[in-house]
Amino acid sequence: MTLGEDTPGTVDVRCERLVPGDPSWLCYMHLAHSKLLAPLAAAAVEQPAQLPDGVDPVAALAAWEALRAALPEGLLTDVPDYVDPFAEPGNPGESVVDRICRQATEERDRVARGSGLWSPDGREHIPVHLVEIAARDLDILEALVDRLTTVLRGRLHGTALLDRIAEQHPSPLGPSTPSSLCNNLRIMLDTLRPEPEPQDLALLRPLLAPVDGADAGAPARRVLTAEQEAAYQRFAYRIADIACAGDMRDSASFAWRY
């Protein structure tokens, strides 16, 4: 049976979701795969007795792959290499803070360039995509991360395996923890789970990026109306609040990039 077909007693409910063409958001999705889901699926084959009880890493990996397949190809191939902001700056007079701000501005401008979406005050926006996903895939992944969180909280069977996976898959800025690996998956799910507000979706639908930007060519310049701009900003702040755990200053900085 192939992914997407109904299994007995289940209904494959499809749902529309908005996702940003934003490498910083996509990073959570890629990290969830490479640092948690893929190692867990490998452990299911190589060390099944070490797995936490009540988890199915193979089904979870298949659910992630189905969500990934729903994304436009451009989102999967246009993720820049990580740049360490704490590395020695090329300009001796540039502080680390200035370097971080410059890199964030350069990334924002690179991602937004050519989107064709312009705010009323003349700022080009990061593009927005509409994808159709299966609610069942979200359920499978949410059940996994909920179970792993319970295991870690109680230091139950399987914690040792999660600790080893974290040690073997450090983050770009240093050691990972099992909780940080689970958080990458949680952020991805929390951004995909909520249904878009119908009025915002209606306002943003005419602005959605083409499915295949290479064939479509450069999109025409579209200046958002005040209502569309408000809907876009609500979308940006929702993503930012989830990614930044509600921290107002971090959320504002994240949303600024849109």
Side-chain angles (χ1 to χ4, degrees), residues 17-22 72 75 111 115 117 125-131 196 200-201 204-211 222 224 228 231-233 235-236 238-239 258:
R17 293 295 184 265
L18 294 169
V19 298
D22 178 1
L75 295 188
V111 175
S115 73
L117 303 183
H125 284 314
I126 285 176
V128 182
H129 300 265
L130 186 68
V131 301
D200 284 351
L201 183 56
L204 293 174
R205 192 180 289 275
L207 309 174
L208 299 174
V211 173
R222 292 164 292 174
L224 280 61
Q228 288 172 329
Y232 183 93
Q233 292 302 326
F235 165 73
R238 182 175 67 79
I239 298 291
Y258 286 73

Side-chain angles (χ1 to χ4, degrees), residues 179-200:
S179 294
S180 70
L181 298 184
C182 289
N183 191 54
N184 292 327
L185 180 57
R186 178 75 72 185
I187 288 173
M188 185 193 80
L189 293 173
D190 286 351
T191 56
L192 291 175
R193 174 63 73 183
E195 183 176 359
E197 292 293 334
Q199 62 271 27
D200 284 351

Side-chain angles (χ1 to χ4, degrees), residues 12 17 20 42 49 51 72-73 75-76 88 96 102 104 111 123 176 184 192 234 236 256:
D12 185 10
R17 293 295 184 265
L51 287 173
E73 186 62 27
L75 295 188
L76 306 177
E88 188 70 23
V96 172
R102 176 175 57 78
V111 175
R123 174 182 172 86
S176 296
N184 292 327
L192 291 175
R234 285 192 291 270
W256 162 85

Side-chain angles (χ1 to χ4, degrees), residues 244-257:
C244 300
D247 183 284
M248 291 183 63
R249 186 166 60 178
D250 287 348
S251 294
S253 177
F254 194 101
W256 162 85
R257 304 169 60 259

Side-chain angles (χ1 to χ4, degrees), residues 14-30:
R14 313 296 294 185
C15 50
E16 289 185 320
R17 293 295 184 265
L18 294 169
V19 298
D22 178 1
S24 289
W25 178 82
L26 288 168
C27 182
Y28 294 111
M29 187 165 193
H30 289 284

Side-chain angles (χ1 to χ4, degrees), residues 130-226:
L130 186 68
V131 301
E132 185 182 86
I133 59 178
R136 183 174 58 194
D137 293 328
L138 294 177
D139 293 339
I140 290 171
L141 289 167
E142 193 160 10
L144 174 77
V145 74
D146 285 346
R147 178 58 187 164
L148 294 182
T149 300
T150 298
V151 168
L152 292 171
R153 186 181 300 119
R155 303 298 293 177
L156 306 178
H157 174 72
T159 299
L161 174 63
L162 297 173
D163 287 340
R164 286 198 299 275
I165 288 175
E167 291 172 0
Q168 295 165 3
H169 297 84
S171 71
L173 289 180
S176 296
T177 66
S179 294
S180 70
L181 298 184
C182 289
N183 191 54
N184 292 327
L185 180 57
R186 178 75 72 185
I187 288 173
M188 185 193 80
L189 293 173
D190 286 351
T191 56
L192 291 175
R193 174 63 73 183
E195 183 176 359
E197 292 293 334
Q199 62 271 27
D200 284 351
L201 183 56
L203 287 165
L204 293 174
R205 192 180 289 275
L207 309 174
L208 299 174
V211 173
D212 190 340
D215 291 341
R221 183 183 179 112
R222 292 164 292 174
V223 179
L224 280 61
T225 66

